[in-house]
Amino acid sequence: MTRVLVIVQNLPVPFDRRVWLECQALISDGHQVAVVCPKGSGDPAYEVISTAELYKYRPYAPGGSKLSFITEYAYSFLATAWLTLKARRSGRFGVVQACNPPDIFWPIALALRALDGTRFVFDHHDLCPELYESRFPDGPGLPYKVLRALERRTHRTADHVISTNESYRDVAVTRSGKSATDVTVVRTGPDPEQMRRGQPHPELRRGRRFLAAYIGVMGPQDGVDIVVRAADIVVHQFGRDDIAFTLIGSGDCFDELVAMRDELGLAGHVEFTGRAPDELVAQIMSTADVGLSPDPKNPLNDVSTMNKTMEYMAFELPVVAFDLRETRVSADDAAVYVTPNDVREYAATIVALMDDESARSQMAKLGRARVEQELAWSRQQHAYLGVYQDLIAVGQDKD
């Protein structure tokens, strides 16, 4: 049995669905798993869930400026290093897996490699240089160069890189010089057994005929403001009072988005749930008629896989999305693609899809079938576990 340490800074576990699916896959394959991550609301500093040991630190996010990111990441690095030492008291780690953002945990992997011969897997969730470009399009060039350097160092330190899609794999190979044989694509596929459309709950439509749903992070690059502005067009320009909007999730922009909704007079049409328990999420998704992927086109989003898009598909929801490269790869014919960043066209597409029951039904079937036949985590985890099996075998040969 190999002991595996999983490091993630962006979200708490098990709230981070991809990381939690990976942990469950490792446990089912006979490994012992420890996780270091930030706390969610009400989380204890230590708990055990499904045999996974979770070591959690209090998150610190001082704001959205460039300096605040440096402060946040420095704090996260130190907290992660301390909890890694604490977790190591129970035994050495055969493999450490670091998930980004940010690309700062390779020194911890180097230290464990020197101490215990620990192998290092980098699970590449986001392109941090493109994330910076997308948040600060007119920002200075030095932070971008630093982020590129950290990305390259992380890729080159890793024994193996796991990429969420082919675009990210190309970055590891062409931009960081990683050998193609040391990079494996493992998509973030939903679990179709857990994410399955159930009985609708009509009261969640709040007296309206249709429901459009959003689930996900609410940061500057996620385009949730586009949903609010599109809802304003739907209600106040198109005169459609029969469409309710429910937005699930939280993030840096949450308070600003709620304020925008109220300023636009949409309090009766747009509901923000905050982070919601799985039961409520399933009820909303089972009631909704359309799933919203409003990610605007920018250097990050165009090449990133949006988990929410595939979750909509699992719940048999047709998707309204901007025409992004990797979104087309994920959704194929289960989405309607809008001219990037055109809010009025996005609003018009929502209305048109609501009024076309036949199209919604066909797209729902195509999306669910694509999840079951190709994107499901059960089909992706074989490649994921194969990375570990190969690394552990190499390590045993060296021993």
Side-chain angles (χ1 to χ4, degrees):
M1 178 176 65
T2 300
R3 197 155 183 256
V4 178
L5 172 67
V6 177
I7 294 172
V8 57
Q9 187 270 351
N10 196 39
L11 289 171
V13 175
F15 184 79
D16 188 315
R17 292 187 184 276
R18 175 184 174 91
V19 175
W20 186 236
L21 286 170
E22 290 173 337
C23 291
Q24 291 176 303
L26 290 169
I27 291 168
S28 68
D29 205 41
H31 303 295
Q32 187 180 37
V33 175
V35 179
V36 172
C37 66
K39 289 182 180 181
S41 178
D43 286 355
Y46 174 82
E47 62 182 324
V48 178
I49 302 179
S50 299
T51 76
E53 299 177 89
L54 308 181
Y55 297 82
K56 299 187 176 184
Y57 58 87
R58 186 183 303 276
Y60 175 67
S65 69
K66 293 179 283 292
L67 180 60
S68 71
F69 279 112
I70 296 173
T71 305
E72 176 186 349
Y73 291 161
Y75 167 82
S76 299
F77 179 86
L78 293 174
T80 297
W82 170 249
L83 290 181
T84 295
L85 289 174
K86 190 173 182 179
R88 185 177 171 273
R89 293 174 188 169
S90 299
R92 65 177 291 273
F93 292 106
V95 181
V96 56
Q97 172 181 314
C99 311
N100 83 327
D103 298 327
I104 60 173
F105 297 116
W106 53 270
I108 294 175
L110 282 178
L112 291 173
R113 181 182 290 167
L115 287 171
D116 301 323
T118 304
R119 311 286 282 173
F120 176 32
V121 172
F122 175 48
D123 193 14
H124 196 187
H125 293 186
D126 279 307
L127 295 174
C128 291
E130 279 75 7
L131 176 60
Y132 171 79
E133 280 188 310
S134 300
R135 285 202 170 199
F136 308 106
D138 300 319
L142 180 60
Y144 177 81
K145 293 178 181 178
V146 171
L147 290 169
R148 282 281 297 269
L150 288 171
E151 176 190 78
R152 183 168 58 252
R153 177 50 54 196
T154 301
H155 278 139
R156 293 187 176 182
T157 303
D159 294 289
H160 204 95
V161 174
I162 295 173
S163 299
T164 54
N165 59 40
E166 292 291 344
S167 296
Y168 280 29
R169 184 179 187 273
D170 288 345
V171 167
V173 174
T174 61
R175 195 155 86 184
S176 295
K178 198 70 180 174
S179 170
T181 58
D182 293 329
V183 185
T184 299
V185 173
V186 179
R187 300 180 68 85
T188 309
D191 183 346
E193 297 305 315
Q194 295 293 324
M195 295 185 181
R196 176 184 295 277
R197 193 169 184 88
Q199 290 297 317
H201 290 255
E203 70 277 7
L204 295 175
R205 293 195 175 98
R206 306 190 297 282
R208 293 182 169 83
R209 182 181 177 187
F210 300 112
L211 176 63
Y214 172 90
I215 184 170
V217 178
M218 298 183 178
Q221 73 279 3
D222 298 304
V224 188
D225 62 305
I226 292 172
V227 172
V228 178
R229 287 188 283 137
D232 180 47
I233 294 171
V234 168
V235 174
H236 295 133
Q237 294 187 30
F238 297 164
R240 293 295 295 263
D241 194 47
D242 59 343
I243 302 175
F245 295 80
T246 297
L247 284 60
I248 308 166
S250 189
D252 294 344
C253 297
F254 183 84
D255 292 339
E256 296 173 22
L257 292 165
V258 173
M260 178 189 292
R261 175 201 64 183
D262 294 343
E263 289 170 7
L264 293 172
L266 293 169
H269 296 84
V270 179
E271 180 180 66
F272 288 88
T273 69
R275 287 182 178 171
D278 289 347
E279 182 180 3
L280 177 58
V281 170
Q283 290 174 357
I284 294 171
M285 293 298 182
S286 296
T287 306
D289 301 283
V290 167
L292 304 176
S293 290
D295 312 272
K297 186 171 184 177
N298 58 39
L300 176 69
N301 290 344
D302 195 38
V303 294
S304 296
T305 298
M306 306 303 173
N307 295 341
K308 57 181 167 286
T309 300
M310 293 181 288
E311 292 184 11
Y312 297 145
M313 294 159 64
F315 280 102
E316 299 180 45
L317 288 177
V319 181
V320 179
F322 289 120
D323 194 357
L324 308 182
R325 186 193 318 177
E326 284 294 338
T327 298
R328 275 192 176 271
V329 172
S330 297
D332 199 22
D333 292 332
V336 178
Y337 300 98
V338 178
T339 303
N341 308 347
D342 188 326
V343 180
R344 187 174 182 83
E345 184 181 338
Y346 196 88
T349 302
I350 293 171
V351 171
L353 193 54
M354 291 298 189
D355 290 341
D356 193 339
E357 184 176 354
S358 176
R360 294 203 316 272
S361 177
Q362 180 67 12
M363 293 166 66
K365 293 176 182 177
L366 291 171
R368 177 69 190 186
R370 183 161 171 73
V371 167
E372 292 178 346
Q373 296 167 15
E374 186 173 348
L375 300 175
W377 176 249
S378 59
R379 297 184 179 277
Q380 299 294 320
Q381 72 174 353
H382 297 297
Y384 175 72
L385 292 175
V387 170
Y388 275 81
Q389 291 161 2
D390 291 344
L391 280 182
I392 292 168
V394 170
Q396 291 173 340
D397 289 343
K398 288 185 176 180
D399 293 341

